[in-house]
Amino acid sequence: MTDADERPVAVVLGAAVWPGGVASPTLRRRAEEAARLWLEGRVRLVVGCGGTGRHGPSEAEVIRAICVGLGVPAAAVLVEARSTTTEQNLLYARPLLTAAGAGRIVIVTDRYHLPRARLVARRMGLDATGAWPRVPGPVTARRAWLWLREGGAYLGYAVQGRGRG
């Protein structure tokens, strides 16, 4: 990696860590997607986001461990380990992105979550695209509920002007 490397930086949004420090399936899929992007040379760094919820370690540290376990060098995975919301994920990652000279980012999250995350990124002045892990299997009632819930959250953020950090 050089300073002239203009590839984007992947920003992995956090999700739950389960007891024993085990990544939830959502967190694991997101981290694996970011590792895939790095291994394919599509991003130059990965920033894992997310603080410590009910169970430690932080979501960001779990993201880092998964990426490193899949072959991403530890030096290529930065950690933002204090955020607890989508808005904070991007706000607290911004200094890391600035220090890395990131002109563009790829937000790695679930497909249903990406519109709201991109809205927040745009409002923060970040040039953001997105990538999402493929979720195997048929559409379930839970997945349909997540889409509906996220639609409401998007409207709430849009109306309230959230993400102008």
Side-chain angles (χ1 to χ4, degrees):
M1 180 181 75
T2 67
D3 290 336
D5 191 338
E6 294 186 18
R7 288 177 295 166
V9 172
V11 177
V12 187
L13 304 187
V17 173
W18 288 357
V22 174
S24 63
T26 299
L27 187 61
R28 175 161 294 284
R29 281 191 306 268
R30 291 177 186 180
E32 289 173 348
E33 179 68 12
R36 183 184 68 75
L37 293 171
W38 191 91
L39 292 167
E40 290 177 357
R42 295 175 52 199
V43 298
R44 62 186 173 98
L45 289 172
V46 173
V47 177
C49 296
T52 304
R54 275 192 199 148
H55 309 284
S58 71
E59 297 164 7
E61 287 294 342
V62 173
I63 291 166
R64 181 179 204 183
I66 291 168
C67 288
V68 169
L70 291 171
V72 180
V77 185
L78 308 178
V79 172
E80 176 289 295
R82 61 187 180 124
S83 60
T84 59
T85 66
T86 300
E87 188 173 8
Q88 288 177 357
N89 285 168
L90 294 164
L91 182 65
Y92 298 163
R94 194 163 48 181
L96 296 172
L97 297 169
T98 300
R104 295 176 298 129
I105 65 170
V106 177
I107 299 171
V108 181
T109 189
D110 286 276
R111 189 174 180 189
Y112 64 84
H113 185 221
L114 192 54
R116 180 165 56 102
R118 287 191 65 206
L119 170 69
V120 170
R122 280 192 309 273
R123 286 181 170 171
M124 289 184 185
L126 298 170
D127 181 2
T129 60
W132 59 90
R134 304 321 181 243
V135 180
V139 174
T140 63
R142 172 153 172 74
R143 282 162 70 186
W145 178 83
L146 288 169
W147 276 93
L148 289 172
R149 183 190 76 169
E150 191 59 35
Y154 180 92
L155 289 173
Y157 268 53
V159 169
Q160 295 170 11
R162 302 264 313 261
R164 296 190 192 278

